[in-house]
Amino acid sequence: MLSKKTKYGLKALTFIARNEGDMPVQVSKIAKSEQIPSKFLEGILLTLKKAGVLGSKKGKHGGYYLRKEPSEILMTEVMRVLEGPIAMVPCVSLNYYEKCDDCPDEHKCSVHKLMIEVRDSTLKVFRNTTLADLSNTKR
Amino acid sequence: MLSKKTKYGLKALTFIARNEGDMPVQVSKIAKSEQIPSKFLEGILLTLKKAGVLGSKKGKHGGYYLRKEPSEILMTEVMRVLEGPIAMVPCVSLNYYEKCDDCPDEHKCSVHKLMIEVRDSTLKVFRNTTLADLSNTKR
DNA sequence: GTAATCCCTACTAAATCGATAGGATTAATA
DNA sequence: TATTAATCCTATCGATTTAGTAGGGATTAC
């Protein structure tokens, strides 16, 4: 299941991509428009900021803005930040590999083989999709 | 993340596919060979039985057996039984569709579009993979 | 009748998720 | 400079899910 965190995060990014002029966008505006609990969203955007996807400006008239063009923000990046590893098992994860306790030999493991295929096909989608696709903006 | 339940279930099915002669295979044998907690596995195989993937024989020399040829057991079926819906959000699930509380219009939802693509690509893998592929048996 | 096996229900500890609370810090502006 | 509006940070909470255990009932081979 996709977590609410990721769902909200994607919606928020889409909103920001669509509403970006010169001014940063406030959490409260996004929360209201997208029906997301404001305090919860606060934490999500903070995470995206720490990961380098968003920038922020504090104080009055502050808010969040994209640090790259929507077309340069890949879903691989966003999903990894919000949802964690793309692979369904650590033993096929590219970025967070871990050996299984059980499994004496990975190459003979039936689950391993299947999960590599799933990972690759999902990765293909995420690598081919940017925030520009989600938000229908051209940049 | 793939649940242990699903992982164990797949390993068990693979084991049964490889070890099937005329005799049913016992939970205890699978558990020992695949390093799975025996009582936990018991419940998993029961689930697979109720779903019609496995058959069982009670009493001495009883055990579990496949109800179809490995090549006829699709991963779509197994994954749905063990892991639940393949879609990451209910609003793109083929078998368990549910509307989102938020989302006034699905067709305009950026998350929706992305998750349909993920679902389709994952589905493609599961539809193209059978237990025979996992277990390297020909049947 | 006994041992081996599946079948069923209930319980538990730990982790995760979704959300809230409360305030510290920063910056614009009146 | 005081006020206000924002981000930033930490802690907490209830509900749910996960992974597993416990204990026994029912069935069958021998």
Side-chain angles (χ1 to χ4, degrees), chain B residues 29-70:
Chain B
K29 274 196 185 171
I30 306 170
K32 197 175 177 188
S33 165
E34 300 295 322
Q35 316 217 53
I36 302 170
S38 175
K39 269 293 190 180
F40 191 22
L41 182 57
E42 219 178 280
I44 296 168
L45 297 189
L46 214 45
T47 305
L48 286 165
K49 189 216 153 187
K50 285 178 184 165
V53 178
L54 292 176
S56 70
K57 186 162 180 270
K58 282 190 189 177
K60 206 166 187 174
H61 300 166
Y64 289 94
Y65 53 89
L66 302 174
R67 301 218 17 209
K68 307 182 225 173
E69 295 296 300

Side-chain angles (χ1 to χ4, degrees), chain A residues 26-27 42 46 49 56 58 64:
Chain A
Q26 289 86 42
V27 171
E42 218 178 280
L46 214 45
K49 189 217 152 183
S56 69
K58 282 193 188 175
Y64 289 94

Side-chain angles (χ1 to χ4, degrees), chain B:
Chain B
M1 274 282 292
L2 195 75
S3 66
K4 295 268 183 185
K5 182 177 172 186
T6 303
K7 189 184 181 188
Y8 293 160
L10 287 171
K11 286 194 168 196
L13 285 171
T14 303
F15 185 90
I16 295 171
R18 285 178 181 153
N19 284 265
E20 247 198 348
D22 286 350
M23 302 296 286
V25 185
Q26 290 85 41
V27 172
S28 58
K29 274 196 185 171
I30 306 170
K32 197 175 177 188
S33 165
E34 300 295 322
Q35 316 217 53
I36 302 170
S38 175
K39 269 293 190 180
F40 191 22
L41 182 57
E42 219 178 280
I44 296 168
L45 297 189
L46 214 45
T47 305
L48 286 165
K49 189 216 153 187
K50 285 178 184 165
V53 178
L54 292 176
S56 70
K57 186 162 180 270
K58 282 190 189 177
K60 206 166 187 174
H61 300 166
Y64 289 94
Y65 53 89
L66 302 174
R67 301 218 17 209
K68 307 182 225 173
E69 295 296 300
S71 61
E72 284 170 341
I73 299 177
L74 288 168
M75 284 306 112
T76 39
E77 185 180 3
V78 177
M79 291 299 293
R80 286 201 176 106
V81 169
L82 295 174
E83 193 72 7
I86 285 158
M88 294 186 80
V89 281
C91 71
V92 304
S93 174
L94 296 176
N95 292 257
Y96 308 87
Y97 174 85
E98 246 178 82
K99 194 179 174 308
C100 295
D101 300 338
D102 34 342
C103 242
D105 184 359
E106 234 161 55
H107 303 292
K108 288 180 186 163
C109 175
S110 57
V111 179
H112 188 81
K113 282 194 297 181
L114 179 62
M115 290 302 123
I116 282 188
E117 288 199 61
V118 174
R119 178 204 67 192
D120 286 343
S121 86
T122 306
L123 221 36
K124 205 169 177 179
V125 173
F126 290 152
R127 282 188 177 139
N128 264 299
T129 310
T130 72
L131 184 55
D133 300 314
L134 292 209
S135 58
N136 297 315
T137 53
K138 288 190 179 155
R139 275 175 306 142

